[in-house]
Amino acid sequence: AHPAGSLLRNLTDGRLSTASYIAMMDDGNDLMYTVHLSVTGMMCQKSCGSTVEHALKAMNGVLHAEASFEKNYATVRVRAQEWSSRAELEEEAVEAVECVGFDCSILAPEDVLEYFQLSCGSSSEDSVDSDAELLPREEHAHPASASFQVGGMSCAVCAGRVEQALLSVEGVSKASVTLSINRAHVQVLEEGTLEGIAQECVAAVRQGGYECEILHIGNDHKQGVSLADSAARMEHARISELRTWRRLLIFSILLTLPLVVLHARRSDMSSSLSTIPSRNEWIMFALATPVQFGVGWRYYKAAWKGWTNGRFLGMDFLISLGTSASYVYSLLIFGMQLVTGTSSSLEPTFATGAMLLTFVTLGKFLEAYAKGKTASALQTLMELQPRFASR
């Protein structure tokens, strides 16, 4: 038996290599399940780390649980007979950590090593080549595998949808998605068909509304993407996303601010209006329409893809539904005034949908900005990684 209580401590102190730790935790024992977790939001080890650890230890059949503030990581090992499936255990573990106030996602065993390197950098003792040889035996048992970079995931639901899309591809025997580093892995039944299946996986993920590209095919990690290249790709994707949301936000603000002003002054000017609809209402209609269908196009597109791929009704669908309801209502009132030439107690509210889209787009921009800063820090860190190592 491993001295599990001290493994993570030895890893943090540098007395144990990353891959040695992973190999010990994933030792292939069918009587136990081991779950690796990426945990964000911990501010210290004594309070936050202990809270996460105690939350995991409260689960059924726990043999060992530990959390590390330095590595933003936690692990739990349980007796397999206490759980009907590994999926149930993973769901319960994530819920246990989130219930005590921290964000959490599942780390696939093959992603733990890279997660540690991206989180803490690499050292001479923990080099890429030496760690790759010590990866869990399960990975070496399945040479027919492929890895993908997936963009557009924002929550565990997105990761689940990507995983289901990968599993829907004929020939895929296993699929795993790691939200924290936007990676996906698949294993196939026959290595000879791997390249074709990899292309089908990319198509399936993109059809589900997410960006996807192949990182490497096969189990030869030396021919794959280096950590520096991986961080550079993350940086490029974040910058592209940030520019898109900045452009949409500026466009939305420029059109929404006049809308708000006209909406606020409409009651004061109603007594002097001689035409129905008024000139101001025509201007509000002209300003709201580009916001609704220009800025809102991304939300409509994401909502449609979610509906056509699994009947998924996410946040994009709710945003599209709410803003469309406001716009259609205003358009009907505007049309009635135009046809009848008379006003009523009902007034168009074009500013409502535009304001909602502006606020949501602002949130998307801030989210992309925060992610972009993180990717920049990772790229700077990866530039310090040695290109060659020997032993």
Side-chain angles (χ1 to χ4, degrees):
H2 304 303
S6 61
L7 287 181
L8 188 53
R9 191 180 310 112
N10 291 337
L11 172 65
T12 303
D13 295 341
R15 295 193 296 268
L16 182 66
S17 72
T18 300
S20 297
Y21 168 80
I22 301 171
M24 291 179 182
M25 294 302 293
D26 293 288
D27 57 5
N29 193 333
D30 293 336
L31 300 179
M32 295 182 291
Y33 287 148
T34 301
V35 174
H36 306 280
L37 302 168
S38 166
V39 183
T40 57
M42 293 190 291
M43 304 300 293
C44 65
Q45 182 64 37
K46 184 176 181 181
S47 178
C48 300
S50 299
T51 299
V52 172
E53 188 173 316
H54 291 323
L56 293 173
K57 286 181 177 179
M59 297 168 58
N60 294 332
V62 173
L63 298 173
H64 166 68
E66 263 190 305
S68 170
F69 154 69
E70 291 86 354
K71 294 185 176 294
N72 293 320
Y73 168 81
T75 183
V76 59
R77 174 178 285 183
V78 302
R79 289 186 292 270
Q81 62 267 26
E82 299 285 340
W83 299 86
S84 60
S85 65
R86 177 181 288 273
E88 180 189 6
L89 169 62
E90 292 177 347
E91 182 178 352
E92 187 70 21
V94 170
E95 183 177 353
V97 175
E98 291 181 343
C99 282
V100 294
F102 302 97
D103 293 329
C104 180
S105 61
I106 297 294
L107 284 172
E110 56 266 30
D111 288 330
V112 177
L113 175 60
E114 183 174 7
Y115 176 76
F116 281 166
Q117 291 170 325
L118 288 175
S119 298
C120 307
S122 51
S123 63
S124 58
E125 176 188 1
D126 209 9
S127 64
V128 176
D129 286 344
S130 61
D131 280 340
E133 295 179 4
L134 291 173
L135 286 172
R137 290 190 299 269
E138 181 184 0
E139 184 176 348
H140 294 283
H142 299 278
S145 62
S147 298
F148 307 89
Q149 182 79 25
V150 182
M153 296 188 298
S154 59
C155 61
V157 175
C158 296
R161 292 183 61 199
V162 172
E163 184 173 335
Q164 291 299 319
L166 294 172
L167 290 173
S168 67
V169 176
E170 185 177 357
V172 174
S173 60
K174 181 181 179 182
S176 60
V177 179
T178 303
L179 178 62
S180 55
I181 57 176
N182 295 324
R183 291 291 174 82
H185 297 269
V186 298
Q187 294 175 356
V188 303
L189 300 176
E190 298 181 7
E191 187 171 3
T193 61
L194 181 56
E195 186 172 353
I197 291 178
Q199 296 294 340
E200 292 180 15
C201 288
V202 170
V205 173
R206 289 178 177 174
Q207 186 179 6
Y210 302 94
E211 300 174 2
C212 184
E213 62 176 313
I214 300 174
L215 288 180
H216 62 76
I217 298 177
N219 202 41
D220 187 358
H221 292 272
K222 296 181 181 179
Q223 297 180 0
V225 179
S226 67
L227 292 175
D229 291 338
S230 177
R233 290 190 181 192
M234 291 173 60
E235 170 98 14
H236 177 74
R238 300 305 183 196
I239 290 177
S240 177
E241 183 182 13
L242 182 63
R243 288 175 177 172
T244 300
W245 286 118
R246 181 192 290 119
R247 184 169 60 251
L248 289 175
L249 178 62
I250 293 175
F251 179 77
S252 183
I253 289 176
L254 290 177
L255 295 182
T256 302
L257 284 179
L259 262 175
V260 175
V261 173
L262 291 174
H263 181 79
R265 296 179 57 189
R266 183 172 54 186
S267 59
D268 299 334
M269 301 176 61
S270 59
S271 58
S272 61
L273 299 178
S274 57
T275 59
I276 303 297
S278 66
R279 183 182 63 179
N280 284 350
E281 287 176 338
W282 277 102
I283 296 175
M284 293 174 68
F285 166 71
L287 292 173
T289 301
V291 177
Q292 183 67 39
F293 299 105
V295 179
W297 172 249
R298 282 184 66 112
Y299 303 102
Y300 282 119
K301 183 179 178 181
W304 175 252
K305 287 185 176 180
W307 174 253
T308 55
N309 294 276
R311 297 297 187 266
F312 176 75
L313 305 180
M315 185 58 66
D316 293 311
F317 179 84
L318 296 178
I319 295 171
S320 302
L321 181 64
T323 57
S324 297
S326 174
Y327 182 82
V328 171
Y329 167 81
S330 301
L331 194 62
L332 289 175
I333 301 300
F334 183 80
M336 290 173 59
Q337 292 179 353
L338 186 63
V339 172
T340 61
T342 59
S343 62
S344 65
S345 59
L346 301 178
E347 296 181 343
T349 56
F350 287 112
T352 303
M355 290 175 62
L356 179 58
L357 284 171
T358 301
F359 284 126
V360 174
T361 304
L362 173 62
K364 294 287 188 179
F365 170 75
L366 294 177
E367 180 185 5
Y369 178 79
K371 289 181 178 179
K373 298 291 286 184
T374 302
S376 299
L378 283 175
Q379 185 180 27
T380 303
L381 180 62
M382 290 305 102
E383 290 176 354
L384 303 177
Q385 179 192 7
R387 294 183 179 273
F388 303 97
S390 61
R391 56 175 181 171

